[in-house]
Amino acid sequence: YRVVAVYGTRQALKLFRVQQRLPRARRIRHLYVHDPRNYASGLSVAAMPRTADEVAAMHGVLEHACATLETLTVVSCTTRHTFAADHLQLDDLHFPHLAELTLRGCYSLPLRLKFAPNLVRLHIACDVLHSPFARLLPKFYPRLTHLRISRLEWSPHFNDVLETLCSTMGLRDRNGHMKDATDAAIHTDTPTGSSARFILIEPGPGHWIGPEGRTILASTTERALL
């Protein structure tokens, strides 16, 4: 397959069964996986359990396709603590040819060199960043040139994270100062001078749907700090 989109465990289970029967169906170049569970319906966690087969299918689809994937998008509307028992695990997977990765929701980026050693473009949609992420990113993803961080809400670590990212990705001028961060994209030569690197940081939405379908408004003061 050239492009495959999987929405929910039912579709994942069907694709996984096809992959088990037909090895050629495991060769996928571009994959989009959407975990649709969220609180917008007002359902409780107990009302949306997963069977062992569904959990295995979600993971199995990625495991079968990881050898050939070039781009991967994983979208979830939940938090890591919401469905801890059947959370999709990414840490034990290996994507040798993956060049572009998007993680939206509770799926954090594995900080392992073996996970995606040839990753070039990374898009993470999250609420909070931490300094260890910024320091370790170039170490485990040495080929990364394009980093996009969206849906970001204010955090006390933001300035430190931005400083660290700009330093580790070579985003400084000849005098060692950061370039103008008011631009949507910051770019300069890498420390090796081989190519350009970019960082795009986007604030989170003005509101979102929280527990039991309630609307939550973002803090205007905190968003202004971005």
Side-chain angles (χ1 to χ4, degrees):
Y1 298 115
R2 180 177 177 84
V3 180
V4 173
V6 176
Y7 186 87
T9 55
R10 182 177 299 180
Q11 291 186 4
L13 188 58
K14 291 182 178 180
L15 177 59
F16 182 52
R17 289 170 177 168
V18 173
Q19 289 176 318
Q20 288 178 310
R21 296 196 311 268
L22 303 174
R24 66 178 182 273
R26 304 175 185 179
R27 296 194 295 270
I28 302 173
R29 293 178 60 183
H30 309 282
L31 179 62
Y32 175 92
V33 179
H34 187 184
D35 180 353
R37 294 184 305 176
N38 57 59
Y39 281 119
S41 64
L43 295 176
S44 66
V45 176
M48 295 182 286
R50 280 184 174 158
T51 66
D53 288 343
E54 290 173 335
V55 175
M58 291 288 286
H59 187 274
V61 166
L62 290 178
E63 189 173 32
H64 280 327
C66 64
T68 58
L69 278 181
E70 298 174 17
T71 68
L72 171 64
T73 297
V74 180
V75 177
S76 172
C77 300
T78 66
T79 66
R80 179 180 295 274
H81 301 290
T82 306
F83 299 100
D86 52 19
H87 178 72
L88 182 59
Q89 298 296 327
L90 301 176
D91 297 72
D92 61 339
L93 299 175
H94 174 47
F95 299 89
H97 301 292
L98 194 67
E100 181 173 318
L101 174 64
T102 295
L103 296 176
R104 160 75 172 92
C106 60
Y107 298 109
S108 58
L109 179 70
L111 293 175
R112 296 172 55 252
L113 185 60
K114 187 179 179 181
F115 177 72
N118 293 303
L119 192 66
V120 175
R121 297 174 298 277
L122 172 64
H123 175 201
I124 295 181
C126 58
D127 298 323
V128 178
L129 290 179
H130 297 286
S131 298
F133 165 83
R135 291 194 298 269
L136 295 174
L137 189 64
K139 175 182 178 181
F140 293 105
Y141 300 94
R143 295 175 179 251
L144 188 68
T145 59
H146 291 69
L147 173 62
R148 177 184 174 190
I149 302 170
S150 64
R151 299 183 63 87
L152 179 67
E153 292 302 315
W154 179 84
S155 86
H157 308 283
F158 177 74
N159 288 334
D160 183 41
V161 168
L162 184 58
E163 286 275 358
T164 304
L165 283 174
C166 287
S167 176
T168 55
M169 294 188 72
L171 304 179
R172 293 182 179 274
D173 59 24
R174 294 181 179 180
N175 297 321
H177 299 106
M178 284 175 46
K179 289 197 171 185
D180 188 358
T182 60
D183 295 332
I186 310 172
H187 79 279
T188 184
D189 290 338
T190 63
T192 61
S194 59
S195 62
R197 291 194 173 187
F198 300 82
I199 295 180
L200 174 63
I201 297 180
E202 303 168 315
H207 69 277
W208 60 90
I209 303 300
E212 300 178 355
R214 292 176 297 178
T215 300
I216 299 177
L217 299 178
S219 169
T220 304
T221 303
E222 292 180 349
R223 287 171 58 81
L225 294 175
L226 295 175

